[in-house]
Structures are given as structure tokens and as C-alpha cells.
Amino acid sequence: MWLAGGVGNERFLVKGGATLNGQVQISGAKNSVLKLMGAALLAEGTTVLTNCPEIDDVPLMQKVLEGLGCSVTREGDRIEITVPEELSHHADFDAVRQFRASVCVLGPLTARTRNAIVALPGGDAIGSRPLDMHQAGLEKLGARTYIHHGCVVAEAGRLKGANIKLDFPSVGATENILTAAVLAEGTTVLDNAAREPEIVDLCEMLVEMGAKISGAGSNTITVEGVEKLHPTEHKVVGDRIIAGTWAYAAAMTGGDITVVGINPKYLHLPLEKLKNAGAQVETYPQGFRVHMDGRPQGVNYQTLPYPGFPTDMQPMAIALSAVSEGTSVLTENVFESRFRFVDEMIRLGTDATIDGHHVMIRGKESLSSAPVWSSDIRAGAGLVLAGLCTEEGDVTEVHDVYHIDRGYPGFVETLNALGASVERVS
């Protein structure tokens, strides 16, 4: 088994009966910083990213970029990426296989080097995420793509703008098509594009680099190709999934948490669901507060692409439902294997029944401790929060916490600062 930057047998010991109170400062988004690092490949020179999170996936992306010939340095939340005039076009297996976001170098490499070889990536066990739409989009732009020896290969002359319509608003496909189209000749119109805030963040950085893009955040993005881009300095957008995790932690534990560093409009639906569950929610220009008195009420959810309820928030919604009053039904419409998390929640005493892509949860006042295993980043976080809702004095062991380290900077430290008792042990 591949292990991220942590130790393979590390686990968290989570004491039950906690109430979380306090303030959390949100760092840059995992789902943005990695794509921005990849986009830096589009311009020779030094691009600077600030507000970068301290998560294990960032040094993994650094390794990918260094393998392509870049120089990458980090100091605090600041990353400097120096891109040479001549890039390697081969992102090797050892670097890429460890995390899904590494495939974001495919578009920039195709545009810059006209010949990209990127190993098929690994990542979280949440379901199939094929590259069909990535390849089809690049082929519309004039590239030839195929799978060879475990790698996706793209070969092209000068790319040419095209009208492209995605079958599904895939975030990854949208990113790779955009980062290829910015250096294509002519106009590209991308229909049914992903609308996530991280897509907007990528487009804003590309525009700062000299790209001509309109429609970011809508279903249709238009790109006027340019000959060349230049480096820039860009601040990474705040991580809405981490912010949402702390919002649901406050509601689950009957706590009071203020989150700073995120535009609350990016979490409109998750925060509305908390209001429906009985939480008091106050929003500010760059943050929000969630306060829960008493036991939450059951609420129904269905995951959808943005601006729908995020699939990455699904584990937190299930964990909240597990301790809510009444019955909740959650429908997963994005990833078919994400209910692996429910089996671990059942170990903790959750009364849940899975039926296809639906899960019905009958809430209890509290859960009971047990050893559980993380299958992905968000499942790991959800299991830790559920462990806080076991009976006072219970200790839940959460294993495979290297997943959590890939997406949550200082997770244990933040929990303990809010009043939890969580220990990392080997």
C-alpha cells in the first residue's frame, strides 16, 4: 500500500462527549492549489502562490513539477515555482500514481510541449473517475490521445480552438481543457463546464497570466487563445470543504464555531441544510458562525455538482444525520463507491440502510466507540467527527489517517484547540 507523507500505522484516538467551540482560520483549498501549481507550467519564469495549505498532497505535486524540470521552493504558505523554457513532457508513474489531482498537468503539458505523457493517477477510493472527457476535449482541440503502458499520451501540433460540450460537468476535464485552450489558436467555447469556486480561482489566475477567459462560474466558458502567458503571483481561494467540515462539527457536537477565510456563498446549500437541522448560522463577508443548541433534526441531502450539495461533504452529512433526531435520506449522485464510509459508521452504532445510491439513517442520541478505517480524505474526517459524538469516556480508534493528512492541515491541533481530545499515535 502506498502511504502519503505520514506513517502507515498511525491512528487517531478520539475521545467521545466533546463540544467544539472557538474560531478556525481556513487556509487555501486543496482542490485549487494543486491545479494552480499545474497551471504554472504554462508560463516560463517564476509563479508565486500564497495561502497554500500544509497538506501532504502539496509536496507530492511539487515532486511531479520537479520531475518535469521545474524548481519549486516553499516558505510558510508561499510556494515559488520556476518553470524552464524547455519542459520535460513525461510525468512519471512514481510521482503521479499517488494522487488524483496530478492529472491536471495533462492540459498544460499538451499546450506547452505538444507531447504529454502522464501516468494514470491514483487517489481516493471513492469510485471510477475515467479520463474519457479529458481526452475527448483535447482531441477536439486537435490533439491525438491514447492510453499506452499505463499512461495517457497526448500528441499535438498547435492546438486550435473548438466548441466542446461535456457530458457531465467534470471539474478535472474542465481544468485540463481550459489549460490547453488558453494557448490554442482561435476561440474555444466549453459548454456544461464545471462551476466550482476552484474553477473560478483557476480562471482568475490564468487571466492574471495573460489568458482571455470569460464566463468562469457559469455553464459556458469562452477562451480566446493567446500566443504566450507570463508568470504571476496569486492567492489560493479558501477551502470550502474544510470550512464545511468545521460547520458540521459545530452542529454535531452542540458547539459554537466561527470560521474565517472563506466566502460563505461557496457553502450556501450546506449552510442552509444546517439551518434546516436547527443550527443558528450567521454569515460575514469572509466567514460564518454556526451555533447549535440541543439536538439537530434530520435533513435529506442529495449530492450534485456545484452549486449543489458537495459530494466531498457527504461523510459529514451522514455523520450529522447519525446523531440527529428523526430519519434522514442521503442520495449520492456523483461517485458510486462513496458509501464505503457508511460501513465504518455502522461500526460506531449508526442505524443506516444502503439501497443503491441512497442511504437511510435513523438518528441516535449518541454513537459508540469502535476501531474504524478511513477510505478517503473526507471519510476520515467524518469518522473523527463521529468519534466525538460517542458516549463520554469512549475512545474511537481511526486508522489510515494518512488520508486525512492529504487534505486537512493541522487537523488534530485544530480539533484540540476547539475543545476536543484527539491524540495521534503509532
Side-chain angles (χ1 to χ4, degrees), residues 62-128:
Q62 176 178 341
K63 183 180 177 183
V64 171
L65 297 183
E66 289 172 342
L68 295 170
C70 301
S71 172
V72 184
T73 60
R74 173 161 191 166
E75 184 174 347
D77 73 345
R78 179 185 176 94
I79 296 176
E80 294 188 3
I81 303 166
T82 301
V83 180
E85 180 181 1
E86 297 292 331
L87 278 170
S88 169
H89 65 273
H90 190 177
D92 70 272
F93 179 77
D94 284 342
V96 172
R97 70 183 176 89
Q98 301 183 23
F99 65 124
R100 177 72 187 183
S102 57
V103 78
C104 71
V105 302
L106 179 62
L109 286 179
T110 303
R112 273 291 308 276
T113 70
R114 315 287 174 86
N115 186 11
I117 302 175
V118 180
L120 293 173
D124 291 330
I126 57 177
S128 174

Side-chain angles (χ1 to χ4, degrees), residues 222-275:
T222 302
V223 181
E224 300 285 345
V226 298
E227 287 282 340
K228 190 176 183 180
L229 297 179
H230 55 76
T232 189
E233 180 168 335
H234 181 81
K235 182 179 179 180
V236 182
V237 70
D239 196 312
R240 63 194 169 97
I241 304 302
I242 293 180
T245 298
W246 297 121
Y248 276 63
M252 289 172 61
T253 65
D256 188 342
I257 296 178
T258 298
V259 175
V260 179
I262 186 72
N263 189 328
K265 75 177 183 180
Y266 296 149
L267 283 163
H268 173 74
L269 191 52
L271 293 178
E272 282 298 309
K273 292 292 185 181
L274 288 182
K275 291 179 184 178

Side-chain angles (χ1 to χ4, degrees), residues 182-224:
V182 290
L183 293 181
E185 180 182 347
T187 302
T188 297
V189 178
L190 181 58
D191 283 324
N192 201 24
R195 301 169 58 188
E196 274 74 0
E198 295 79 20
I199 294 290
V200 176
D201 197 30
L202 173 62
C203 288
E204 289 177 351
M205 175 172 149
L206 292 172
V207 169
E208 292 164 8
M209 296 172 74
K212 297 179 180 179
I213 301 173
S214 61
S218 73
N219 290 323
T220 303
I221 302 177
T222 302
V223 181
E224 300 285 345

